[in-house]
Every structure is written in structure tokens, then in C-alpha cells.
Amino acid sequence: DALEPRLASREYYQKFKDNFSRNGKGETGDLCFFEKAGRVTHMGIYSGEGSMIHASGSRDRVIECSNFKNWTNPKLIGFFQVV
């Protein structure tokens, strides 16, 4: 089996870039991607009502975060619907 990419930038460019929603509206379960200095640096899972589930670093625990749409660094660039 091939190893799945761990880094948000690899995940975005290898799988999602061509089927990406930049309309700013996510649905529960969508992946949300963030960029910093023009590069995808972070991703999470949209849990609905303005919240997402994510780990802020490779050694951090997974948490639920609200108001992530107001982040400016990294900045939300859009959502991808997993089917």
C-alpha cells in the first residue's frame, strides 16, 4: 500500500486542488485548507456551525476550534467535500 501524505500541502496538491470550493461555505465533514505566504500549511475537518476539528501541530492533540474563519495567519482558502 502507498503511504498517505501527512502534510497539508501534499494532501491539497495531490488530491484536492482541482475539485476545490473557494466559496467559503463548508458542510459538516468537509476538509478545510489554510494558507500562509501563498502555501498550504494546515488543514482540518469542518464540524459544522463555524467549528473545525484539527491538531495545531504534529505532536498536539486533536481539538475542536470555533471562529477559525476569522484566522488571518494562516488564512482559510476553502473547503473540499469528501465523498
Side-chain angles (χ1 to χ4, degrees):
D1 290 10
L3 292 176
E4 289 294 313
R6 187 194 73 77
L7 299 176
S9 58
R10 285 191 202 143
E11 195 81 28
Y12 173 75
Y13 288 111
Q14 288 179 7
K15 295 185 176 184
F16 307 124
K17 187 175 182 187
D18 295 332
N19 298 308
F20 195 63
S21 169
R22 292 185 182 266
N23 66 9
K25 296 180 181 176
E27 294 183 24
T28 301
D30 288 357
L31 299 179
C32 33
F33 289 89
F34 299 82
E35 71 178 358
K36 185 178 190 177
R39 185 173 154 250
V40 175
T41 59
H42 195 65
M43 66 182 275
I45 302 170
Y46 186 62
S47 56
E49 299 183 22
S51 296
M52 78 164 175
I53 299 166
H54 74 117
S56 59
S58 62
R59 296 176 189 219
D60 293 337
R61 62 185 176 87
V62 175
I63 60 171
E64 188 163 18
C65 171
S66 60
N67 298 322
F68 69 90
K69 289 183 179 183
N70 297 329
W71 289 3
T72 57
N73 198 15
K75 175 183 149 190
L76 176 67
I77 56 171
F79 297 92
F80 179 82
Q81 184 179 25
V82 179
V83 288

